[in-house]
Structures are given as structure tokens and as C-alpha cells.
Amino acid sequence: MDFLPLEQLRQIQLTRLQVIVRRAYDRVPLFHRRMKERGPNPDDLRTLADLARLPFTVKTDLRDAYPFGLFASPLQEIVRFHASSGTTGKPIVVAYTKEDVDDWARAMVRSFSACGVHNGDIVQNAYGYGLFTGGLGAHYGAEALGASVIPISGGNTERQIMVLKDFGVTVICCTPSYFLHLVERGSELGVNFHDLPLRIGVFGAEPWTESMRRRIEELSGIKAYDIYGLSEIVGPGVAMECQHQSGPHLFEDMFYPEIIDPDTGTPLPDGQEGELVITTLCKRAMPMIRYRTRDITSLVATPCACGRTLRRISRISRRSDDMLIIRGVNLFPSQIETALLAVEGTLPHYQIIVDRQQGLDTLEVQVEVTPEFFSDMVGGLEKLQGKLSHAIESVTGLRATIRLVAPRTLQRSEGKAKRVIDRRQM
Amino acid sequence: MKLKQLSLFLQNEPGALTAPCRLLAHAGVNLITLSLADTQQFGILRLIVRDWEAAQRLLEQNGYLAKLTDVVAVEVEDKPGGLVNILTVLEQGGINVEYVYAFTLKHGNRGVLVFRFTDPDAAIRQLQSAQVRVLDAEELARRLEA
């Protein structure tokens, strides 16, 4: 599938698109209603270009449909759920039939193969296992490929390093920032990554840059590859870099990409930067029609030295909404607001400061002390810090440093407070 | 018998202490005594001034968070064991001390301490029943002028 002549690829895409749009129209009330109101009838889809006439799907549609509202398969056929963090405490739920899980594994097999992973490799999978799609997605793919998988999940850095060394691990899957942390911690423990059999890193779940890739490769001696995916579409394995490291190739026969102007919704030609929109071409349990990823990138159609006919996406430079990705976890400033509000009753002025220290994302929330919560005793203020930190962790799943600051010290400009300062050097 | 103490929230950074002190100095407010509690991140400046109402107004108008707390001024003998005597009385009464600091003021061989108690009224009763002198604002003012 990776090397199909373009004409054949486009034909497969069109056939699959017609089937999936019909399925969405027939089985999912939201898609049915939207197409009735605004869009063309599924039978009007005669070319791939006709897709542009269909309405978009956005993240809030998934949240509004919580938990099962967008399923196109009966529950009896669902074999797996995953979920990602939402903005109001309710997660976004995604579902898979048996065939969907197999398709996903196939996409991951293609991903691993593209960057040179093969059977016989020992894969340490340090993506989180659980509701997050990263862990199980990479796990099923690596297993289907015939590699030996270590389902170590995230965290416990020292054990990760011990296993890397003792098991003779050749491939690691994790976020790039966590890998840098592993390398740095390793050198403190006397483990030089250049001496390990490790050769490939499959890195994703957060934005990163070419300079970070160079740094990883210099510090560890491995090859670092960028994998792209999102839960709403399937999880990891939507796009993956080949050995030429020239941007992730989209598995276009499964995930149909478009680039649009994020403000007007108008489709843009290949090479032009805009928001990535994806339509799933195979998903049974939860088809997505023109899902707006909010990731700003461009489609690269120029031939790749590997010979794949699949288009690539360029480095994702930013997102078109205010979502932050911290240690692989999606964070919306509104979640911080929810937590602060829960503790204090009214919303204090606050600022979110994201930084990266020793390869790990750090999250600090500065909160102005209000008269109601000011105590003349250190213990009272420390208790407040503890409460705020706990509330933020329970809403977002992220541990944040709380810094109490004096009233009116946080910057307010043009009447609107600057809520987020991202100091990460991308 | 209680005194009013002004507590200010300060960030732990250069200049954080200077600014409110300068503000009070320009307004002619004399600090009778002060204490500074600090952590790595923030500090709490505690002040005893004569006209606390005016000082609080001034600080709040300038954006400071200034909170009023009841504290108790207790006379203590300036000799080894002087503080222990007071603490023993408090301990016997089951009185909890949150923090304590001193006045620079001296009267004969007696100094004065500022106590922040969990329950200041119970503390005053306990101290007075043990013949420990507790100073009110007027007495404090009289000694300052002397």
C-alpha cells in the first residue's frame, strides 16, 4: 500500500470514502443531520474533491456525544475503548471494532517497518498504557510485526534505563522529551547510550523539532523518527517517517488528509500551510468525517527517496487552538480555571508557564493571592498551594508547581490576561 | 488587650521588601516592630504600627494585600529563663503559639514579645491569671513616648 501508483491510490481512497460517508450518514445521527442540513447527499460524492463540500467535525462534537453518541457500530461489536482528556472533566471517548483494532495494528506495522524496525527487534514501549492510545497502539503494532515487546509503560526512569541495558533493547517508543530525560539520567547513572544496542526511537505524542532530533541523535547515537497520530482518528500510526527522516508519511489509504485555511475552512493546495483535516477511510466503530486536528502543517507531495507515494506532513509548527501538549497530555487553560475555581470559589488571576528542563516539560501555575485566601501564617499559604496543586492534578492528570504571587503582579494586557507563557525552545 | 498586626504578602524577590517599607516611610509611618516569615517562593511581612488603619488603607490603595491579625504583647523579664517562664504558663493552659517575635522596646529590665496565638483571648486569660503582664495598645504607646 505504501508504494501504490498514485492513480490506484486515489481510486482506493475514493471507493473507501464513498463507503465510509454512507456508513456515517446511515448510522450516526450527528453526521446524518449535518449532511441533511448543510452537506451533499452521500450519493453526490463522485470525486475526492467533493469531500470539501461535507461539513467538518470538531473536538467539541466528540465531547458533546459523550460517551457513545458517535458510534457507527452496535456495542456488541466494540472490542476496545480509549479516551483522551477533555476540557470539562469529561473525556473524549473513542471505540474500535475487532477489524478497527486489526487495521490500527496494520498501520503501526507499516509505521515500524518504515523506519527499519523488524521482527527480532526488542521494543521497549514506554508510552503510557491505559486509556491513552499510545501504549496499546504501539504494543499491538510491534507484536504484529513479530518484535519482542516490553510493555513497560511510562515513568520509573531508573527501571527504564536498567531494562534498556539489561534486555538489550533495540527500539524504544516514548515522547521525545522523555527520551532526552532518559539519556540525561542515564549519564548520571553511568549508562552511555552510545554503548547500548539501541538503534531506533519512535517518538511522538508531543510536538518537537529538528534541533531536538539532532540533539537526541548526538547524545544517544540512535536514529530518531517522528510518529504522528491522534486518538480521535485512531491513535499513533496515522503518519510515520521513513528512514529518510523527511517528515511523516500519511497512511493515506486509511486516513484521507486535507489542509484548510483554519479561519475560512477553504481547502488549500499541497505545500501550503494550514490546518490538517483527516477523514478516516476504514474506521467502522467511529468514522470521522473531515475531523479538524487543529495541527498546523502542510502536505508535502514531492517524491521521497524511499519511493513511497504517500504524502508527508511537514513539522507541526503550532496548533490553531489554545491546547497545550505537556508530557504527552493535552491541556487546555480552561481546565486550570476549572481547578482554581473549585478551590477558591471565584477565579483568581493566574498564568500558566510551560518550560522544559532537562528534557522534561514543566508546568507552573502562578496564582495571585486573594484577600480571602491570604493567611499571615506560612502553613496556611502552603496548604492553599497543596489544595490548588491537588485540584489541578485531579482535573488534568498533570502535576503542576503552584507559585503564589502578589496581587496585580500578573501581566494584564488589552484587558485580556495573558494566560499561557510557553518557554519551551522548539 | 489585643494588638492589631498588619500582614503583607510579598514575593521572594529583590526589592519586594523595600517597596512597601518605602511607601510607609514616605507617609511618616513608624514601624514599632516587624517580623518576616519567608519561604523560597514568598514571604509574609508582619508589622506593628501605631495607626494601623491608615497604614492598611495606604497599603491597599497601592495594591498590597494587607491583612489584620490579632496579636498579644507580653512583657518578659530580660534574663535567662524569662521566655521559658512565659512559655511554661502557656503550656500549662494548653495554649497554642503560632509564632512569636520581639519588640525592640525595653522597660527597665523587661522586654516585650509579640505572640500570635491560635486563641488570643484564652491566652490573655491564662497569662493574666499567672500575673504575666499583657500590654494593650495604650500602654505600648505610653512606653514608646517615654
Side-chain angles (χ1 to χ4, degrees), chain A residues 167-184:
Chain A
F167 286 32
V169 169
T170 54
V171 177
I172 187 164
C173 307
C174 60
T175 62
S177 60
Y178 188 63
F179 183 74
L180 269 179
H181 179 65
L182 285 175
V183 174
E184 279 156 14

Side-chain angles (χ1 to χ4, degrees), chain A residues 369-378 381-382 385 401-409, chain B residues 5 7-9 11 37-39 41-42 44 46 60-63 65 67 69 98-99 116:
Chain A
V369 178
T370 57
E372 291 78 1
F373 284 87
F374 177 45
S375 161
D376 72 312
M377 291 187 285
V378 172
L381 290 175
E382 285 178 344
Q385 282 180 315
T401 305
I402 305 294
R403 183 179 290 274
L404 296 177
V405 298
R408 295 194 233 174
T409 48
Chain B
Q5 170 193 263
S7 300
L8 259 74
F9 181 90
Q11 271 162 255
D38 68 300
T39 71
Q41 278 191 15
F42 58 82
I44 304 165
R46 300 161 184 147
E60 284 182 345
Q61 279 165 1
N62 284 276
L65 198 51
K67 188 184 176 120
T69 315
E98 304 284 6
Y99 53 78
R116 161 81 147 99

Side-chain angles (χ1 to χ4, degrees), chain B residues 56-74:
Chain B
Q56 184 182 31
R57 214 176 309 122
L58 179 67
L59 288 164
E60 284 182 345
Q61 279 165 1
N62 284 276
Y64 290 95
L65 198 51
K67 188 184 176 120
L68 280 181
T69 315
D70 286 331
V71 292
V72 181
V74 181

Side-chain angles (χ1 to χ4, degrees), chain A residues 131-285:
Chain A
L131 284 176
F132 174 52
T133 48
L136 285 176
H139 182 105
Y140 271 59
E143 245 181 38
L145 183 68
S148 316
V149 188
I150 308 167
I152 194 165
S153 195
N156 201 339
T157 302
E158 280 161 33
R159 188 180 60 179
Q160 299 270 2
I161 293 167
M162 181 190 77
V163 170
L164 266 176
K165 191 165 139 254
D166 296 347
F167 286 32
V169 169
T170 54
V171 177
I172 187 164
C173 307
C174 60
T175 62
S177 60
Y178 188 63
F179 183 74
L180 269 179
H181 179 65
L182 285 175
V183 174
E184 279 156 14
R185 187 78 190 103
S187 80
E188 285 167 22
L189 297 169
V191 177
N192 183 345
F193 275 59
H194 287 272
D195 301 335
L196 301 178
L198 190 66
R199 17 178 265 282
I200 291 172
V202 176
F203 299 131
E206 67 186 11
W208 55 308
T209 58
E210 278 312 307
S211 66
M212 201 163 158
R213 182 192 332 248
R214 279 194 300 277
R215 187 147 166 255
I216 286 173
E217 295 188 341
E218 276 163 26
L219 287 173
S220 67
I222 70 163
K223 284 273 180 194
Y225 297 98
D226 190 9
I227 188 164
Y228 175 78
L230 60 165
S231 305
E232 297 91 325
I233 297 305
V234 75
V238 173
M240 175 65 192
E241 278 187 324
C242 69
Q243 287 177 294
H244 297 278
Q245 297 178 314
S246 52
H249 288 277
L250 272 152
F251 298 115
E252 284 194 64
D253 51 304
M254 302 178 73
F255 314 107
Y256 188 79
E258 297 169 87
I259 296 289
I260 61 157
D261 179 323
D263 297 323
T264 63
T266 315
L268 298 172
D270 287 348
Q272 219 160 308
E273 193 183 74
E275 181 180 334
L276 179 63
V277 170
I278 298 176
T279 300
T280 60
L281 295 179
C282 302
K283 271 281 232 36
R284 290 162 190 82

Side-chain angles (χ1 to χ4, degrees), chain A residues 46-206:
Chain A
R46 301 225 165 72
T47 66
L48 286 169
D50 290 334
L51 178 62
R53 294 163 56 204
L54 288 179
F56 294 114
T57 308
V58 294
K59 199 173 184 112
T60 48
D61 292 328
L62 278 82
R63 198 189 310 143
D64 295 344
Y66 175 89
F68 300 158
L70 291 184
F71 292 4
S73 298
L75 274 176
Q76 296 94 298
E77 287 171 23
I78 306 290
V79 300
R80 176 94 63 82
F81 295 107
H82 280 287
S84 69
S85 57
T87 56
T88 53
K90 292 275 191 211
I92 278 166
V93 178
V94 292
Y96 306 77
T97 65
K98 179 77 182 70
E99 297 93 328
D100 291 337
V101 169
D102 292 343
D103 279 344
W104 185 14
R106 269 191 284 275
M108 279 306 298
V109 166
R110 288 162 77 182
S111 301
F112 281 126
S113 305
C115 69
V117 183
H118 45 71
N119 60 2
D121 267 314
I122 299 176
V123 177
Q124 181 157 335
N125 185 15
Y127 283 122
Y129 280 67
L131 284 176
F132 174 52
T133 48
L136 285 176
H139 182 105
Y140 271 59
E143 245 181 38
L145 183 68
S148 316
V149 188
I150 308 167
I152 194 165
S153 195
N156 201 339
T157 302
E158 280 161 33
R159 188 180 60 179
Q160 299 270 2
I161 293 167
M162 181 190 77
V163 170
L164 266 176
K165 191 165 139 254
D166 296 347
F167 286 32
V169 169
T170 54
V171 177
I172 187 164
C173 307
C174 60
T175 62
S177 60
Y178 188 63
F179 183 74
L180 269 179
H181 179 65
L182 285 175
V183 174
E184 279 156 14
R185 187 78 190 103
S187 80
E188 285 167 22
L189 297 169
V191 177
N192 183 345
F193 275 59
H194 287 272
D195 301 335
L196 301 178
L198 190 66
R199 17 178 265 282
I200 291 172
V202 176
F203 299 131
E206 67 186 11

Side-chain angles (χ1 to χ4, degrees), chain B residues 81-146:
Chain B
L83 175 61
V84 172
N85 292 340
I86 306 280
L87 293 177
T88 308
V89 169
L90 293 169
E91 193 184 356
Q92 281 161 357
I95 303 292
N96 188 38
V97 177
E98 304 284 6
Y99 53 78
V100 59
Y101 56 99
F103 278 99
T104 49
L105 185 72
K106 248 187 107 176
H107 188 68
N109 70 333
R110 284 161 191 279
V112 182
L113 298 176
V114 182
F115 278 92
R116 161 81 147 99
F117 296 110
T118 312
D119 182 349
D121 295 314
I124 291 168
R125 281 195 301 275
Q126 172 69 12
L127 289 165
Q128 287 179 333
S129 71
Q131 273 79 54
V132 175
R133 182 113 197 250
V134 177
L135 312 182
D136 59 14
E138 287 78 46
E139 175 62 21
L140 203 61
R142 205 161 332 115
R143 291 191 185 186
L144 282 168
E145 273 148 29

